Amino acid sequence: MTKEEISYRRYLQRSGYAPQPISTALIDMDGVLYNSMYNHSRAWKRLGDEQGWHYEDNEFFLYEGMTGAAIIRLMEKREHGRDDVSDEECKRLYALKAAYFTAQGEVEQMPGTARMLATLRKNEITRVLVTGSGQASLLDRLNRDYPGTFFAPLRVTAHDVTHGKPNPEPYLMGLHKASSEPSQSIVIENAPLGVEAGHRSGCFTIGITTGPMAESVLTEHGADIVYPTMDDFADALPNIIELRKSFKL
Ligand code: CA
């Protein structure tokens, strides 16, 4: 049995769902479509230095998927004991962080991602963007870099949700927008909290270790299967789609 078969069988056992072909792919942005996590981390560190935050070197990779406001509140609480960070202050600080991100120049598309999206389109699988980001510079680029891939009504961003990842709300909203069920959908994620959100939404959740996190971290957060790179996942995707079309328990 391949690792794809083993992981899908395990997913069916834990969820209780009957096997279903894939109709919808819920796709994270940072670290999946764009190699942007290192720039985000540097931007958070620059803001953190200005705010007097202490942080571990890879700490901001752990928070990937949370909204900017949630990260700011978490750090101000921990570092300065504050419970009184207003929405206005969050907006001001997040605008600084976004500017520090943009100042580093354009981020690269993740290698393998265009091939993954082409496979999804060829198989008429609906693509839904599900990101905790509100980074306008990246959201604006999507149409240029991946034309015809993410239709405007099929996007969930930081502006749409009350609760960011690891809450399942962003993925549940993505399912709702696509009129799809968890049993027919897959989540494609790179970050621990994003994987957790996908898992909690009930979808088969694919983790890609495109950042510094070990495979075990994504597995512990609920990934059903993990690939080391987007290229590896793009290689496996046609087989995953075929497997799901004809799977028998
Ligand atoms: Ca991500």
Side-chain angles (χ1 to χ4, degrees), residues 1-8 225 239 243:
M1 230 189 298
T2 64
K3 80 170 192 176
E4 284 77 15
E5 283 176 79
I6 293 167
S7 63
Y8 189 50
I225 194 165
N239 293 332
L243 171 76

Side-chain angles (χ1 to χ4, degrees), residues 6-25:
I6 293 167
S7 63
Y8 189 50
R9 194 170 288 274
R10 209 184 298 135
Y11 167 79
L12 294 174
Q13 278 165 359
R14 77 167 167 82
S15 67
Y17 295 137
Q20 296 259 13
I22 300 168
S23 68
T24 300

Side-chain angles (χ1 to χ4, degrees), residues 28 30-31 64 189-191:
D28 174 47
D30 288 292
E64 194 187 334
E189 261 290 350
N190 73 302

Side-chain angles (χ1 to χ4, degrees), residues 43-119:
W44 279 117
K45 286 176 171 181
R46 185 171 163 191
L47 180 70
D49 292 342
E50 291 173 358
Q51 292 294 113
W53 298 343
H54 302 84
Y55 49 78
E56 300 291 325
D57 194 38
N58 284 337
E59 183 169 341
F60 292 103
F61 288 92
L62 289 172
Y63 302 149
E64 194 187 334
M66 289 168 66
T67 63
I71 295 172
I72 289 163
R73 287 205 162 93
L74 177 113
M75 294 304 288
E76 283 295 317
K77 167 81 179 164
R78 188 184 78 192
E79 294 295 314
H80 303 307
R82 293 182 59 201
D83 283 316
D84 62 346
V85 183
S86 66
D87 292 348
E88 287 68 31
E89 186 175 357
C90 279
K91 269 188 199 147
R92 182 177 63 78
L93 293 177
Y94 186 68
L96 283 173
K97 183 263 165 183
Y100 299 156
F101 175 82
T102 308
Q104 296 173 66
E106 282 214 331
V107 294
E108 306 276 314
Q109 289 172 250
M110 194 65 87
T113 293
R115 205 151 52 86
M116 167 195 80
L117 293 172
T119 300

Side-chain angles (χ1 to χ4, degrees), residues 13 26 50 56 67 86 120 133 145 150 170 196 201 208 232:
Q13 278 165 359
L26 305 161
E50 291 173 358
E56 300 291 325
T67 63
S86 66
L120 293 173
S133 175
D145 292 339
F150 296 104
E196 186 179 331
S201 77
I208 325 279
D232 290 303

Side-chain angles (χ1 to χ4, degrees), residues 95-147:
L96 283 173
K97 183 263 165 183
Y100 299 156
F101 175 82
T102 308
Q104 296 173 66
E106 282 214 331
V107 294
E108 306 276 314
Q109 289 172 250
M110 194 65 87
T113 293
R115 205 151 52 86
M116 167 195 80
L117 293 172
T119 300
L120 293 173
R121 289 179 66 171
K122 193 174 116 201
N123 286 276
E124 297 180 343
I125 293 170
T126 304
R127 288 84 48 194
V128 184
L129 180 78
V130 181
T131 177
S133 175
Q135 188 85 37
S137 62
L138 272 189
L139 291 166
D140 291 345
R141 268 185 65 189
L142 278 174
N143 291 334
R144 190 183 85 205
D145 292 339
Y146 303 107

